Amino acid sequence: MSLTSTFTRISRSFFSPQICLIWAVSLWLMLTGNHALFGSLLKLYPWNAHNAGFIVSISLFFTLSITLWLMLLSHGQSARWVLPVILVSAAWAAFYMDEFGVIIDHVMLDNAAKTDTQEVMGLLSWAFLFKMLILGLIPALILLKKTPARFFKQDAITVRLKQIGLLMLGMLLVTMPFSADYASFIREHKMVRMYANPTFFHYSVIKWTSQKLFTHHITGLQKTAVDARNVGTDQHHELIIMVVGETARFDRFSLNGYHRITNPRLAKENVVSFKQVTSCGTSTGVSVPCMFSMLSRKHYDEEQALHMENALDVLSRQGVKVLWRDNNSDSKGVALRVPYEDFKSPAHNPVCDDNECRDIGMLHGLDKFVADNKDHDIMIVLHQMGNHGPEYYRRYPDQFKQFTPICKTGRLSECSQQEVDNAYDNAILYTDYFLSEVIQFLKKYDSHRETAMLYVSDHGESLGEHGIYLHAAPYLIAPQEQTHVPAIVWVGQHFDYQLPQISQYADYPLSHDDVFCTLLTAYELKSEVCHAEFGWLGQNRELQEEHRKHLLPKQASTH
């Protein structure tokens, strides 16, 4: 038997036409869909004589792992459809990882699933369409229409098993000489591994799908703080406005030391800016329902929270008139049982231009709501569009274009850092204006109501630090820019807390976990849920009288 025939026989026992096709697709994905992965690797391990061996090794490892994964997914005729879908979806994931440095995990997928049409349009670009066409759609069509039938013939099971064994052996062999480097990489650089495309992307899809399909579905509505009762004796009814901010960073508020004056109006008001507030999540879909839930960040579960009364439900049950106005996507399930008004449409919002409705429009008609409920406590939630990215330049009218030049595209990586910062900071400047107008609205009622404003952002935003843009990074590895959020309080003359009491907690470590009990306590609702764990809130005069003890040293009353 000749050497050539022997080689052919051995190769056929390991490589069928379909296996060769899978290898070709794997190499294509590795070369075109993993720029974010290689970019991150080369930042950590610059190409030099010392790192070259490990870089080659880990590149081979990821190539082999992709091939192994496709071997498990693609069999016979199903490969004609499975492989094209993988090519298109990998091109989609690659664009957003390359463009914004984001990680496509299950939280990001959930965020994408809840994105509305306007937000989708803001993320589309000619570059996106070009990349999808060249890297995804054309290769997929070639597979569907031009690939000979023999490449979709079912392999013998022995051939497939041999190939899988060969791949696993190869992964072992390429890692063994660099075991110490791999140990360090796995331990210290978890985020980089999440850029592996399509393997981690597929893992995220499976996790997201399993959460939606196989999670135990809770029925009914679980009551929260059932022992809550009003212990207030004041003559004045509460009027509190909570502003839920969007994508605002703590360090971009001049109230917090930012070198640019982004809060000129708030600086003239008696407000307290809390310096150590962390978010529950890095996306609106997690943070908003979490902050109104009794569940803490550590124990938050979307399904459980959806079927459990939140702070607004408890307030409503106690007779507080609650109204949610939304200039964002929606309330993420928080306002399902309270009055809700959509201000993303000119039908409600009188301040709209260029297909963008402004946050300030949410104040329109609020006087009537207050007048209609003159004999009740009132809670109003205003959910901002705020600094929603990546098109920050759309979030404010032209008169707030103070910092120039600005980035006028959703492709942030095409703009200079200064242009991105300018567009983002102008949106913060508009939020400053909006919050100051909320305060002016409340001042009209200050003589005969207990008035207060609480502003807290849902999460922060990455603006190019470490090559990362936007938000929704996995919380455990999320940069501080995405989790350190601004929180601001203004109170009127009759409110139970006064500025000297509040300001001493400006540097107190707080989080979205504190919002639930903050709201209950502000309305003088006593509940064991908020008795021990949230001791700093015991400064409320009415609850101090009820408890007949002080959870923290009593402060002198300013009344």
Side-chain angles (χ1 to χ4, degrees), residues 17 30 103 146 161 190 266 271 287 323:
M30 198 64 195
I103 291 169
K146 300 297 183 181
L161 289 175
K190 181 180 180 180
L266 287 177
V271 299
S287 285
L323 173 65

Side-chain angles (χ1 to χ4, degrees), residues 191-457:
M191 183 174 177
V192 176
R193 308 199 313 269
M194 294 179 178
Y195 285 120
N197 186 20
T199 47
F200 184 78
F201 169 50
H202 286 179
Y203 164 78
S204 300
V205 171
I206 293 169
K207 184 174 182 179
W208 181 79
T209 304
S210 64
Q211 285 181 344
K212 297 300 178 184
L213 295 180
F214 305 117
T215 301
H216 173 65
H217 290 286
I218 303 170
T219 58
L221 184 67
Q222 179 183 343
K223 288 192 175 297
T224 303
V226 292
D227 63 333
R229 60 190 180 90
N230 195 315
V231 299
T233 58
D234 290 340
Q235 298 177 354
H236 304 98
H237 288 293
E238 277 85 1
L239 171 58
I240 300 175
I241 295 180
M242 179 174 177
V243 179
V244 179
E246 170 66 42
T247 318
R249 282 171 54 152
F250 166 86
D251 61 356
R252 293 305 176 99
F253 279 59
S254 54
L255 288 177
N256 301 325
Y258 188 42
H259 68 279
R260 284 178 162 175
I261 306 301
T262 53
N263 304 124
R265 293 170 177 81
L266 287 177
K268 297 175 183 177
E269 303 289 347
N270 290 322
V271 299
V272 175
S273 181
F274 294 92
K275 304 298 192 293
Q276 295 192 57
V277 181
T278 53
S279 65
C280 184
T282 59
S283 67
T284 305
V286 173
S287 285
V288 171
C290 181
M291 75 168 76
F292 285 94
S293 168
M294 189 184 73
L295 302 172
S296 65
R297 184 191 70 79
K298 195 173 292 185
H299 300 104
Y300 176 75
D301 175 80
E302 180 183 7
E303 181 73 14
Q304 185 178 0
L306 192 63
H307 292 85
M308 174 185 288
E309 285 187 331
N310 56 55
L312 301 188
D313 295 316
V314 176
L315 294 178
S316 183
R317 176 158 37 92
Q318 292 294 321
V320 178
K321 296 300 180 181
V322 179
L323 173 65
W324 183 293
R325 287 188 163 185
D326 209 301
N327 194 36
N328 204 297
S329 50
D330 56 53
S331 73
K332 307 305 178 187
V334 177
L336 291 177
R337 294 167 292 277
V338 299
Y340 173 92
E341 294 177 355
D342 180 7
F343 271 71
K344 285 194 73 177
S345 165
H348 278 116
N349 195 328
V351 189
C352 299
D353 55 79
D354 298 328
N355 297 318
E356 185 82 11
C357 288
R358 303 300 176 193
D359 291 332
I360 195 66
M362 289 191 286
L363 296 180
H364 178 73
L366 276 187
D367 287 306
K368 184 178 185 306
F369 181 78
V370 175
D372 290 345
N373 296 283
K374 59 185 177 63
D375 297 324
H376 295 86
D377 293 334
I378 295 175
M379 170 73 182
I380 299 169
V381 181
L382 304 177
H383 189 193
Q384 279 187 281
M385 177 57 79
N387 279 61
H388 195 289
E391 295 179 309
Y392 309 120
Y393 71 97
R394 293 187 181 274
R395 307 300 172 232
Y396 49 87
D398 285 343
Q399 59 264 38
F400 289 88
K401 196 187 299 181
Q402 178 173 317
F403 307 110
T404 57
I406 63 171
C407 181
K408 297 197 69 173
T409 175
R411 299 197 67 197
L412 300 178
S413 60
E414 289 186 347
C415 299
S416 68
Q417 187 63 52
Q418 182 186 10
E419 289 171 332
V420 173
D421 288 342
N422 289 343
Y424 185 88
D425 290 348
N426 287 334
I428 295 290
L429 192 66
Y430 183 70
T431 287
D432 172 75
Y433 160 71
F434 174 60
L435 295 180
S436 70
E437 290 300 301
V438 172
I439 293 172
Q440 303 316 309
F441 174 86
L442 289 168
K443 283 181 178 179
K444 295 186 298 184
Y445 300 95
D446 196 33
S447 63
H448 54 283
R449 279 187 177 270
E450 292 184 32
T451 55
M453 180 198 75
L454 168 63
Y455 165 80
V456 60
S457 183

Side-chain angles (χ1 to χ4, degrees), residues 1 8 17 27 38 48 52 58 60 68 108 194 222 267 282 324 346-347 378 404 426 470 472 474 503-504 509 546:
M1 185 180 294
T8 301
L27 291 172
F38 285 117
N48 55 42
I58 201 167
L60 290 172
L68 177 60
M108 180 65 77
M194 294 179 178
Q222 179 183 343
T282 59
W324 183 293
I378 295 175
T404 57
N426 287 334
L470 305 182
S503 60
Q504 64 179 319
E546 175 70 15

Side-chain angles (χ1 to χ4, degrees), residues 111-131:
N111 213 29
K114 295 174 180 176
T115 300
D116 62 25
T117 304
Q118 186 175 347
E119 292 171 333
V120 169
M121 294 305 295
L123 290 169
L124 293 180
S125 65
W126 287 112
F128 169 79
L129 296 175
F130 179 78
K131 192 161 191 172

